[in-house]
Amino acid sequence: YDVLVERGRVSPRHKKASKPQRDRYGHTPLTTAEPLPWHCRQLIVGTGAEGRLPVAPDVVEEARRRGVELIMLPTVEACARLSTADLDETAAVIHVTC
């Protein structure tokens, strides 16, 4: 499973709502159609080993609207960044399946 990290808790990513856009991106993208951990100041997105997880423009726009810093990195780098982050102010979406 891909995972969400919010306030130090890990849960599976529920990406079913984003699957209809898979054909458009060639991969199930991260979209605002799925539940995302917005209660943070910083959202780290681990984009997979090769950095292939597409992040839809609506996620970028929603982060800007909410004043959340959006950081998109390959998963290894995202995990390293998360390991030193303040978990009260940082959430993450980590793509681990490829």
Side-chain angles (χ1 to χ4, degrees):
Y1 289 100
D2 291 353
V3 297
L4 302 180
V5 179
E6 187 170 23
R7 300 192 178 176
R9 292 188 312 230
V10 178
S11 59
R13 174 184 169 209
H14 298 286
K15 61 185 179 179
K16 184 177 181 178
S18 294
K19 282 192 177 194
Q21 295 190 42
R22 183 181 182 139
D23 289 342
R24 182 178 181 188
Y25 289 92
H27 202 92
T28 301
L30 185 66
T31 72
T32 58
E34 63 188 85
L36 297 175
W38 290 117
H39 299 287
C40 59
R41 291 182 185 223
Q42 178 175 263
L43 178 60
I44 298 172
V45 178
T47 58
E50 302 290 324
R52 292 187 179 170
L53 175 69
V55 177
D58 65 340
V59 173
V60 176
E61 179 58 34
E62 185 65 13
R64 185 177 20 187
R65 187 184 75 74
R66 291 174 178 258
V68 172
E69 179 184 9
L70 184 62
I71 301 167
M72 297 175 283
L73 301 165
T75 294
V76 170
E77 294 174 41
C79 288
R81 181 94 176 243
L82 184 61
S83 72
T84 61
D86 178 350
L87 295 181
D88 288 332
E89 296 190 6
T90 304
V93 178
I94 306 293
H95 181 61
V96 295
T97 55
C98 69

